Amino acid sequence: HRQFGHSHSLVYQPELTQYDQDKLSLMAELQQAIDAQQLKLHIQPQLSLTDHKVLAGEVLIRWHHPRRGLLGPDQFLPLAEQMGVIYPLTRWVLERAVQLLAQLQQQQLHCQIAVNLSSKDLLQDELVDTVELLLKKYQVPASLLILELKESALVAEPELALRTLHHLSQLGIELALDDFGTGFSSLAYLRELPIQQVKVDCSFVFDLHRSDTHSAITGAIIDIAKNLQFTVVAEGIEQQEVEQKLLAMGCSRGQGYLYAKPFALDTFVPWMQQWGY
Ligand code: C2E
Ligand code: CA
Ligand code: CA
Ligand code: CA
């Protein structure tokens, strides 16, 4: 039956409550998912576009949910961030990443590993200590770890977030600005950030060979980034022609399905032994 009351909230409340309960139960499950080994890490190689040597691997999370099936990060991370349960997850990803770096070193495979940080992570005061302790525990040089953050990470509490970035940078970690060009990037503050890398968002890269607009935007980002002495990384390279255009524009580092789709993190060492240098 339908009710045409004057109060819309009365009519829609049950629906909202159901939705909220669903979100709440998903987040309650997320907190157990690590222990239940439902969270899986994938990794995508990042290559030199000039000689196709592997320079780094970016760690990407997935959730094999027992009832909902395979969930991509976009299906649960924004909610986890909103509900304040993301930091334990980040800490877990960081440990796996540093462990992998130790394994790579044992095999004399030289490459960096990149971990995505959520905006909320920069407001956690333990983050810097955790990273420092992990690097000590596994005896991994800080320069092999890359931490990626989005421009939005600085919006809520810019001073606190910036302080965290400076502390991370002082450890010798490399910092990358992710999804560059999609947020509220102010070019003025870009030079104030202790970052070394800028990642051109895949939405500009996918059709670079066919879109004059995306080509112009990417070209501008590359020029600015190079002027400020940042490394430029293009993500979402799917076509040979895109690689050629990027090289012509002066971008020599990238990742994308053209080279490799993300694959299970556990198989990265053997993959490197076979394909890496
Ligand atoms: P991102 O950091 O921008 O990661 C790149 C995304 O583009 C990944 O999606 C990757 O699989 C996809 N990609 C890479 N190359 C190509 C390509 O050539 N074609 C296409 N179509 N896609 C490509 P994914 O794995 O679904 O991750 C989505 C986002 O979730 C990531 O975007 C990142 O912001 C976030 N994320 C993933 N793992 C983590 C994590 O452990 N922690 C946090 N805080 N965020 C994460
Ligand atoms: Ca990223
Ligand atoms: Ca990105
Ligand atoms: Ca993205």
Side-chain angles (χ1 to χ4, degrees):
H1 74 287
R2 288 185 78 178
Q3 275 187 9
F4 293 95
H6 37 262
S7 164
H8 280 276
S9 66
L10 211 78
V11 176
Y12 290 115
Q13 214 159 23
E15 208 178 339
L16 276 179
T17 304
Q18 179 54 50
Y19 178 64
D20 287 344
Q21 275 170 358
D22 203 43
K23 290 207 298 189
L24 279 173
S25 80
L26 187 65
M27 286 305 106
E29 288 164 345
L30 178 59
Q31 289 177 307
Q32 337 256 298
I34 298 181
D35 297 330
Q37 303 190 346
Q38 292 167 9
L39 296 179
K40 305 279 183 214
L41 295 179
H42 281 207
I43 189 162
Q44 186 181 38
Q46 201 178 90
L47 293 86
S48 155
L49 302 186
T50 49
D51 58 14
H52 291 178
K53 280 189 184 171
V54 181
L55 302 175
E58 178 179 7
V59 179
L60 297 159
I61 199 164
R62 274 104 185 83
W63 184 0
H64 290 265
H65 192 283
R67 280 173 293 105
R68 298 171 202 246
L70 178 64
L71 302 179
D74 297 329
Q75 289 169 279
F76 62 95
L77 288 184
L79 197 56
E81 187 163 339
Q82 201 185 315
M83 299 188 73
V85 294
I86 194 127
Y87 183 65
L89 218 128
T90 304
R91 209 173 38 205
W92 175 74
V93 178
L94 277 168
E95 178 142 20
R96 295 291 311 274
V98 176
Q99 270 173 347
L100 176 60
L101 278 169
Q103 273 181 288
L104 287 163
Q105 280 211 301
Q106 268 166 19
Q107 305 296 320
Q108 337 250 298
L109 295 164
H110 190 83
C111 105
Q112 293 177 297
I113 296 295
V115 170
N116 290 286
L117 290 185
S118 106
S119 309
K120 292 273 168 67
D121 292 328
L122 291 184
L123 310 178
Q124 281 284 338
D125 25 277
E126 313 126 70
L127 176 71
V128 179
D129 288 346
T130 301
V131 171
E132 191 176 16
L133 279 171
L134 284 174
L135 293 170
K136 274 216 186 87
K137 179 175 170 190
Y138 293 97
Q139 302 195 347
V140 167
S143 59
L144 293 178
L145 184 64
I146 304 174
L147 296 180
E148 302 192 358
L149 53 128
K150 294 183 207 291
E151 299 161 69
S152 56
L154 287 139
V155 173
E157 293 195 50
E159 276 161 36
L160 181 53
L162 196 58
R163 205 177 328 140
T164 306
L165 289 187
H166 277 288
H167 286 153
L168 289 170
S169 175
Q170 279 156 10
L171 293 180
I173 283 157
E174 224 176 276
L175 297 173
L177 197 56
D178 211 347
D179 296 359
F180 190 72
T182 58
F184 313 92
S185 16
S186 152
L187 297 177
Y189 93 95
L190 195 54
R191 73 157 68 234
E192 311 298 325
L193 298 180
I195 57 167
Q196 288 77 37
Q197 269 192 28
V198 163
K199 297 189 83 174
V200 185
D201 192 64
C202 46
S203 59
F204 305 124
V205 177
F206 290 141
D207 62 352
L208 196 60
H209 57 309
R210 287 191 269 104
S211 159
D212 290 342
T213 310
H214 289 164
S215 179
I217 293 171
T218 303
I221 292 174
I222 293 170
D223 288 348
I224 293 161
K226 292 191 93 173
N227 267 314
L228 294 172
Q229 267 138 28
F230 300 139
T231 304
V232 194
V233 182
E235 57 183 17
I237 305 174
E238 294 185 351
Q239 313 281 334
Q240 198 76 59
E241 299 103 288
V242 171
E243 178 191 81
Q244 292 312 309
K245 282 207 95 173
L246 284 167
L247 279 167
M249 291 193 259
C251 170
S252 57
R253 188 165 168 146
Q255 55 193 87
Y257 292 178
L258 178 63
Y259 315 105
K261 286 192 177 181
F263 53 85
L265 184 108
D266 303 337
T267 59
F268 189 63
V269 170
W271 185 89
M272 280 290 284
Q273 282 166 333
Q274 226 179 325
W275 300 105
Y277 295 84

